[in-house]
């Protein structure tokens, strides 16, 4: 028997990734996963790709690409210095690097009551003990070493933190020497005017990591993200990046640089914003029509997700097998809830991936299923 | 002060990666790094890339690409089943995943006396204690949990293990429940007939990971590698891959699949083999002409590297600053030597990256420098 590290004893796959395989069954309607709409992709223009992208490149990322990203970060109150940037092979990698930097068995780690599940997966792998973010804000108990937040169009809840909450988070992290780790992949998919200033922009002397992604606005298949961090952390993150994969794919960096510099860049972002806003509006209307007596929710003002809390004592996970048999996939909320004990009535629905027509079909099937389940429970 | 994990307390960057920045100084002659010859790259044809490469994909890698790679592995005695394959974002990532799987503080890890430095960097990060591979072979002391080997055109020594040595390694790993981790990025750059059968192909009931790379034969900038593993390890490695970066860049997978299926594939591999053989031959001749009284070495029968042992009590590291001032970069061997105590007379020279003309220029500068240093010592 091979001798393995203790950290992999309870290792399991991501339930969302595992469901993506089911999602490939023809005709399956998928509200699971965080996939962008295929209609949101613009064709990429490879024709002028320079030969240098074929060679090894810097671990930090290609200079011209870092300059373009840094300029955008400067506009939202973050460091505008390309030397403060690290290009990532997708923002999932930033979570891996942050965990290597700050998490070992027993490390206290502040998270929201509902939190991106692939972040929980990584933090658990490195031995984190989760503490509610509310405890950090209230100053209760020993402070966590790191607080992972996704304040803008959160995955899974869709929530967007108000200004006072953002300032309070930054203040609490600084007061308790807690590293603020802000994950911000959805910020450019805003449907109404809403507070989006990075929490990290309110940090003046503390330690932070702020990361973004091109998976939702350009194409996830290119695996491209970036992080900026306080000067005490960045050099170590660069070394951890070296050790993880030497550097990020240079062709992706070049392709996305072209996109950032294209004259129609803002028009494309706007077109996607409109596409997703329309899907959000349709989904909200259909939920009101079909789920008013079945669940509670708040319409998100950006991002990809509706977060439903089913009324009554319902275990949303228990509904999934029947939903799959009827051709609909969703993600049970319990996978996102580190503090939940026992079954959860929550579920996450990605409204952005499917067309409105398919969304109606899927939501109808789901509402029928929940209604039948209720009737059976009552009988 | 941010509270960090103990593993990053002594974290340093890769000396080779740091030197790559110096290598960008115009006119610098670089024998450092493991860069392929720019002349070895063929232009990539992007024109037919399907839109699906833009979307999220499976963590294991795209099916068609796995099928093509598995067919090649089957031909060298490894599993030919695409479901036994995991596509990597470069083979450096395979080292990270293997370390997460099997290395925690105090884990005994078998390595060669000279070993790929970026592997040492990752294993150290996870707390490995290195033991000589020779102890495993001799059955001395408690057996390591994992043995990392690079038996074919080794980095840094260029050595290629004989059949008996390969069989002995496989046998020792199986006998001691030691995971065999074979790293094989150079196998297709063979200059003469030589034993290249994977050590993993001699494992019949033990645990193993075997990995390869397209960085040396197609293009490192695409960051593409793969691993196959024994059935007890593969599912955990897939989950670790999910957690690390979800999946590998799909455009790279598609591009390299086209290359694997191209009718001129073997001709291109042969052309590169010829290019590197000629550079090896030129380098060997120039070393004989310039270094006969200065160093010992064996010409490699494949791969990228000459490994020089300077004669006498010379610290090769101490020569590097003067070499850089004269415009030549090399990698001091001490970075590859986990068991070395005190200074090392070894250095690694990449003969593949520079043209023969530049190689002559660089070797001449280096030989002069060493000769002057000797004269100073003698004075």
């Amino acid at each position: 028997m091979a001798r393995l590290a203790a950290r992999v004893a309870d290792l399991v796959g991501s339930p969302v990734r595992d469901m993506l395989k089911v999602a490939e069954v023809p005709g399956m309607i998928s509200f699971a996963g965080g996939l962008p709409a295929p209609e949101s992709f613009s064709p990429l223009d490879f024709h002028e790709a320079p030969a240098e992208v074929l060679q090894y490149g810097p671990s930090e990322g290609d200079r011209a690409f870092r300059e373009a990203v840094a300029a955008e970060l400067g506009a939202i109150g973050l460091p505008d210095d390309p030397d403060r940037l690290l290009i990532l092979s997708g923002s999932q990698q930033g979570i891996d690097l942050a965990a290597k930097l700050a998490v070992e068995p027993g490390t206290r780690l502040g998270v929201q009551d509902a939190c991106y599940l692939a972040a929980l997966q990584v933090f658990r792998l490195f031995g984190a003990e989760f503490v509610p973010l509310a405890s950090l804000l209230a100053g209760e108990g020993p402070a966590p070493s790191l607080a992972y937040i996704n304040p803008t169009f959160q995955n899974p809840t869709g929530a967007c933190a108000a200004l006072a909450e953002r300032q309070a988070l930054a203040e609490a992290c600084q007061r308790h020497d807690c590293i603020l780790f802000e994950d911000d992949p959805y910020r450019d998919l805003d449907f109404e005017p809403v507070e989006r200033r990075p929490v990290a922009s309110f940090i003046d002397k503390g330690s932070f990591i702020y990361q973004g992604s091109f998976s939702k606005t350009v194409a996830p298949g290119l695996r491209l993200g970036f992080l900026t961090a306080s000067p005490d952390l960045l050099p170590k993150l660069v070394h951890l990046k070296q050790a993880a994969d030497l550097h990020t794919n240079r062709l992706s960096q070049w392709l996305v640089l072209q996109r950032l510099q294209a004259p129609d860049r803002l028009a494309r972002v706007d077109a996607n914003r409109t596409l997703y806003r329309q899907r959000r509006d349709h989904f909200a209307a259909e939920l009101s029509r079909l789920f008013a007596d079945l669940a509670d929710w708040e319409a998100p003002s950006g991002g990809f997700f509706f977060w439903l809390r089913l009324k009554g004592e319902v275990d949303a996970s228990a509904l999934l097998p029947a939903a799959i048999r009827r051709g609909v996939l969703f993600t049970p909320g319990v996978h996102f809830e580190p503090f939940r004990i026992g079954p959860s009535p929550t579920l996450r629905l990605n409204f952005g991936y499917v067309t409105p027509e398919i969304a109606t079909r899927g939501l109808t099937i789901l509402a029928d299923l929940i209604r039948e389940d209720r009737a059976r429970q009552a009988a």
Side-chain angles (χ1 to χ4, degrees), chain A residues 142-224:
Chain A
S145 300
L146 185 139
Y148 172 79
I149 60 167
N150 176 201
T152 303
F153 317 134
Q154 203 233 4
N155 180 359
T157 64
C160 192
L163 177 61
E165 200 183 334
R166 290 171 190 259
Q167 289 171 323
L169 276 165
E171 201 275 323
C173 284
Q174 293 194 104
R175 184 156 25 99
H176 296 290
D177 283 339
C178 172
I179 300 169
L180 172 79
F181 180 17
E182 182 170 11
D183 197 359
D184 204 9
Y186 303 103
R187 68 168 292 107
D188 291 329
L189 298 176
D190 51 320
F191 310 143
E192 299 65 66
V194 67
E195 180 62 55
R196 291 184 297 145
R197 262 177 289 176
V199 174
S201 71
F202 299 106
I203 298 271
D204 50 17
K205 54 186 182 358
S207 300
F208 73 87
I209 303 170
Y210 171 93
Q211 70 175 18
S213 170
F214 296 101
S215 289
K216 316 303 175 187
T217 50
V218 182
L222 299 179
R223 309 307 306 121
L224 200 59

Side-chain angles (χ1 to χ4, degrees), chain A residues 62 71 184 190 196 228 232 301 307 349 352 360 363 365-366:
Chain A
D62 286 331
D184 204 9
D190 51 320
R196 291 184 297 145
T228 180
D232 55 328
S301 46
W307 178 247
L349 301 176
T360 293
L363 288 176
I365 292 169
L366 219 48

Side-chain angles (χ1 to χ4, degrees), chain A residues 6-328:
Chain A
R7 73 174 74 82
V8 298
D10 301 318
L11 182 65
V12 290
S14 149
V16 167
R17 293 250 104 211
D18 294 345
M19 270 192 287
L20 287 182
K21 292 184 189 170
V22 183
E24 285 170 16
V25 174
M28 186 65 70
I29 297 174
S30 181
F31 298 134
L35 276 68
E39 299 85 355
S40 74
F41 302 142
S42 311
L44 292 167
D45 182 2
F46 306 104
H47 294 71
E48 307 283 324
E52 67 179 32
V53 303
L54 299 176
Q55 189 54 281
Y56 283 114
S59 296
E60 293 84 347
D62 286 331
R63 183 85 199 170
F65 184 54
R66 279 188 288 136
E67 284 173 354
V69 176
E72 305 217 334
L73 291 186
I76 56 169
L78 293 168
D80 63 357
D81 178 355
D83 289 329
R84 289 283 297 278
L85 260 186
L86 171 62
I87 303 304
L88 301 168
S89 305
S91 62
Q92 181 71 25
Q93 181 172 62
I95 301 171
D96 179 70
L97 301 183
K100 285 170 175 160
L101 179 73
V103 183
E104 54 201 351
T107 297
R108 292 168 62 87
L109 202 156
V111 290
Q112 290 164 283
D113 291 342
C115 175
Y116 175 46
L117 62 83
L120 295 175
Q121 183 192 21
V122 176
F123 295 143
R124 278 196 188 107
L125 178 69
F126 283 90
E129 283 181 20
F130 298 120
V131 299
L133 216 53
S135 309
L136 170 67
L137 286 164
E140 291 166 5
S145 300
L146 185 139
Y148 172 79
I149 60 167
N150 176 201
T152 303
F153 317 134
Q154 203 233 4
N155 180 359
T157 64
C160 192
L163 177 61
E165 200 183 334
R166 290 171 190 259
Q167 289 171 323
L169 276 165
E171 201 275 323
C173 284
Q174 293 194 104
R175 184 156 25 99
H176 296 290
D177 283 339
C178 172
I179 300 169
L180 172 79
F181 180 17
E182 182 170 11
D183 197 359
D184 204 9
Y186 303 103
R187 68 168 292 107
D188 291 329
L189 298 176
D190 51 320
F191 310 143
E192 299 65 66
V194 67
E195 180 62 55
R196 291 184 297 145
R197 262 177 289 176
V199 174
S201 71
F202 299 106
I203 298 271
D204 50 17
K205 54 186 182 358
S207 300
F208 73 87
I209 303 170
Y210 171 93
Q211 70 175 18
S213 170
F214 296 101
S215 289
K216 316 303 175 187
T217 50
V218 182
L222 299 179
R223 309 307 306 121
L224 200 59
F226 58 86
L227 67 75
T228 180
S230 47
D232 55 328
L233 303 185
L234 189 71
K236 286 181 189 289
L237 289 164
V238 172
H239 292 154
L240 290 167
K241 164 74 180 171
Q242 283 181 1
D245 65 358
L246 300 184
H247 68 82
T248 291
N249 188 295
R250 298 185 73 188
L251 181 58
S252 289
Q253 294 183 63
W254 183 85
L255 283 168
V256 175
L257 175 60
Q258 307 314 302
R259 178 64 60 86
L260 293 181
Q261 293 174 337
D264 64 348
R265 155 129 216 259
L266 291 180
R268 286 190 207 230
V269 172
D270 260 343
N272 280 341
R273 216 177 254 133
T274 303
L275 171 81
Y276 288 117
R277 185 194 294 115
Q278 287 168 348
R279 292 192 173 181
R280 190 271 320 257
D281 290 346
H282 175 79
F283 223 84
E286 292 299 71
L287 282 174
S288 295
R289 184 170 71 81
L290 296 161
F291 281 76
D293 59 326
L294 300 178
D296 297 300
W297 66 89
E298 280 167 53
S301 46
F304 279 0
F305 303 113
F306 273 86
W307 178 247
L308 268 61
R309 287 168 301 280
L310 298 179
K311 292 177 200 258
E313 299 280 304
V314 187
D315 176 2
S317 294
L319 297 169
L320 185 60
I324 292 175
R325 282 195 297 275
R326 296 189 191 186
V328 179

